[in-house]
C-alpha cells in the first residue's frame, strides 16, 4: 500500500498495489486481478465512517491499483503488539464500532470474510474496517480454487474452515475471535503453523480468557 497524492482534489490517498507472486500462470493472474477489482466494487458500494472509502480503481502494468481513503493511524494489530491486551472499555468501543460497520455491509449483501486485527485501523476518532480483498458479494462468482482456504486461520469460523460458505454469521464469529485477541493479547486458537491452528479451531475449546472482565 502506497501513500499517494490526488492531484485533482489535492488530498492524500492510499493506493493498494496488487503484487502478484512470480510463477503464476495467466489464469491465476486473472483470478487475482478479478479479486482486487471485486474488492473495489464491494467496498465502493459502502458508505459508512467505519469503512474505508474507495475512490477509484485503475490499471497499472497489467494489474489493478485501488485508490482509497488514507486513514492516518495504526492498526489494532499494531496496538496489541505494542501494548498486549487492551483495556476492556476500549475493546468494547472497538467492537461496537466494527459491529455497526458490519451491519451496513451485511445489509448490502457483502460479507467481509477476513476480519482480523490487522484489518482494523484506529484513527484519532474512528475505528475503520479495511481490506475487503476477499469479500464475497453474495451471488458473485466464486474465485477461490476448490479446497483453498480464504481468510486468516486464527479468525475463521469453524464452518468456513470445514469448507462451508462464509455468511454474516461467520463474520460475527471472526469478530468475536478478534475481540478476544484484543483483550487477551493472543488469539483464542493458535499453533506453530496453519494446520495446527486449524486443528485447534476445529477440535479444542479456546484458551480461557483471563483479562476479559465484564466482557
Amino acid at each position: 500500500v502506497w501513500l499517494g497524492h490526488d492531484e485533482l482534489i489535492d488530498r492524500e490517498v492510499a493506493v493498494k498495489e496488487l503484487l502478484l507472486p512470480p510463477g503464476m500462470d495467466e489464469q491465476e493472474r486473472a483470478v487475482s486481478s478479478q479479486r482486487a477489482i471485486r474488492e473495489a466494487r464491494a467496498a465502493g458500494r459502502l458508505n459508512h465512517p467505519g469503512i474505508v472509502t474507495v475512490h477509484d480503481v485503475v490499471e497499472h502494468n497489467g494489474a489493478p491499483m485501488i485508490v482509497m481513503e488514507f486513514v492516518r493511524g495504526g492498526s489494532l494489530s499494531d496496538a496489541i503488539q505494542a501494548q498486549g491486551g487492551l483495556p476492556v472499555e476500549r475493546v468494547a468501543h472497538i467492537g461496537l464500532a466494527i459491529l455497526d460497520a458490519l451491519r451496513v455491509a451485511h445489509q448490502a449483501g457483502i460479507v467481509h470474510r477476513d476480519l482480523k486485527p490487522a484489518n482494523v485501523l484506529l484513527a484519532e476518532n474512528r475505528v475503520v474496517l479495511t481490506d475487503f480483498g476477499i469479500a464475497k458479494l453474495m451471488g458473485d462468482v466464486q474465485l477461490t480454487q476448490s479446497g483453498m482456504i480464504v481468510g486468516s486461520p486464527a479468525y475463521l469460523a469453524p464452518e468456513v474452515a470445514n469448507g462451508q460458505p462464509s455468511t454474516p454469521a461467520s463474520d460475527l464469529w471472526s469478530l468475536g475471535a478478534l475481540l478476544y485477541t484484543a483483550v487477551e493479547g493472543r488469539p483464542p486458537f493458535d499453533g506453530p503453523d496453519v494446520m495446527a491452528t486449524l486443528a485447534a479451531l476445529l477440535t479444542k475449546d479456546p484458551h480461557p480468557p483471563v483479562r476479559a472482565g465484564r466482557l
Side-chain angles (χ1 to χ4, degrees):
V1 180
W2 298 86
L3 174 62
H5 182 74
D6 184 335
E7 295 178 339
L8 181 63
I9 302 182
D10 190 21
R11 61 182 171 187
E12 290 183 320
V13 293
V15 183
K16 185 170 186 178
E17 177 185 8
L18 179 65
L19 297 176
L20 301 178
M24 296 181 72
D25 60 31
E26 286 303 314
Q27 181 178 1
E28 290 171 329
R29 292 179 65 88
V31 168
S32 294
S33 295
Q34 287 179 50
R35 184 172 290 122
I37 291 171
R38 188 171 67 189
E39 173 183 351
R41 286 176 49 204
R45 287 174 53 181
L46 304 176
N47 181 20
H48 188 276
I51 299 174
V52 164
T53 300
V54 171
H55 299 308
D56 199 2
V57 58
V58 297
E59 189 172 306
H60 178 69
N61 290 338
M65 305 276 281
I66 300 169
V67 183
M68 62 187 77
E69 170 191 10
F70 174 63
V71 179
R72 190 174 295 279
S75 70
L76 176 58
S77 180
D78 295 334
I80 296 168
Q81 190 169 17
Q83 304 172 40
L86 306 181
V88 164
E89 291 76 10
R90 188 179 185 198
V91 175
H93 169 74
I94 290 169
L96 289 172
I98 297 173
L99 186 62
D100 194 51
L102 282 178
R103 184 178 293 112
V104 170
H106 292 163
Q107 288 174 349
I110 298 170
V111 179
H112 188 283
R113 301 179 83 210
D114 195 23
L115 281 176
K116 58 185 178 183
N119 283 340
V120 177
L121 302 180
L122 303 178
E124 184 175 349
N125 296 310
R126 295 170 62 196
V127 176
V128 189
L129 185 59
T130 188
D131 199 0
F132 282 78
I134 55 174
K136 181 175 182 289
L137 283 165
M138 294 176 186
D140 216 355
V141 177
Q142 178 69 13
L143 291 181
T144 53
Q145 298 174 3
S146 177
M148 181 185 293
I149 295 173
V150 175
S152 302
Y155 304 97
L156 279 181
E159 67 273 15
V160 177
N162 270 319
Q164 300 301 311
S166 297
T167 66
S170 53
D171 268 356
L172 295 181
W173 167 281
S174 298
L175 174 60
L178 177 154
L179 295 176
Y180 178 106
T181 304
V183 78
E184 294 295 322
R186 57 181 171 83
F189 303 98
D190 54 16
D193 54 43
V194 170
M195 296 310 297
T197 300
L198 288 175
L201 170 72
L202 293 171
T203 63
K204 298 180 180 180
D205 291 329
H207 306 297
V210 295
R211 296 172 46 91
R214 289 174 293 147
L215 288 180

